[in-house]
Amino acid sequence: MMLNIKENSWVAKLAAKKLKTKNVTIVIGSTIHLYNVTKQQFLQDEKWVKHEVCHLKQFQKHGNFTFILKYLLESIQHGYRHNKYEAEACRTEEE
């Protein structure tokens, strides 16, 4: 699996504002976007890495455009906290 990690991402900054949180990671395609966290800090947190790798796999499974649509629809219908894709990623943190 090819992946990139982008620090100080404007995409992640927008997500942080929307989620009202200090730091955030967000996956788009094969890139993990970071905001207010360094690559080193992120990689040292095993649970966080597992969570985001799950999202990378979800993108691979569904395709970029399709996954974004499915994810957004799921969030609109059930909210971020009850989004089935987030729930799956949270479960992988404990594996």
Side-chain angles (χ1 to χ4, degrees):
M1 172 188 333
M2 176 83 169
L3 81 97
N4 302 299
I5 299 176
K6 181 172 175 63
E7 293 180 295
N8 298 315
S9 165
W10 66 269
V11 173
K13 183 177 182 178
L14 289 175
K17 286 185 179 194
K18 173 69 177 155
L19 296 171
K20 297 179 179 147
T21 188
K22 182 180 174 185
N23 54 26
V24 75
T25 58
I26 183 170
V27 175
I28 305 289
S30 62
T31 302
I32 301 172
H33 295 264
L34 309 176
Y35 177 69
N36 219 11
V37 62
T38 66
K39 180 178 178 178
Q40 181 181 357
Q41 290 168 321
F42 169 69
L43 292 174
Q44 289 176 345
D45 189 325
E46 184 180 346
K47 287 184 178 186
W48 203 356
V49 170
K50 286 180 178 182
H51 183 104
E52 301 309 329
V53 167
C54 180
H55 288 313
L56 287 167
K57 290 177 181 178
Q58 291 166 339
F59 268 98
Q60 278 187 324
K61 178 180 177 181
H62 299 283
N64 291 353
F65 184 74
T66 301
F67 180 66
I68 290 170
L69 288 178
K70 287 181 173 187
Y71 186 96
L72 290 174
L73 184 60
E74 184 72 18
S75 291
I76 290 166
Q77 291 177 333
H78 305 287
Y80 172 76
R81 299 284 177 220
H82 301 288
N83 178 319
K84 68 182 179 183
Y85 301 107
E86 280 303 318
E88 179 185 9
C90 288
R91 285 191 303 272
T92 65
E93 293 174 16
E94 302 306 322
E95 294 176 354

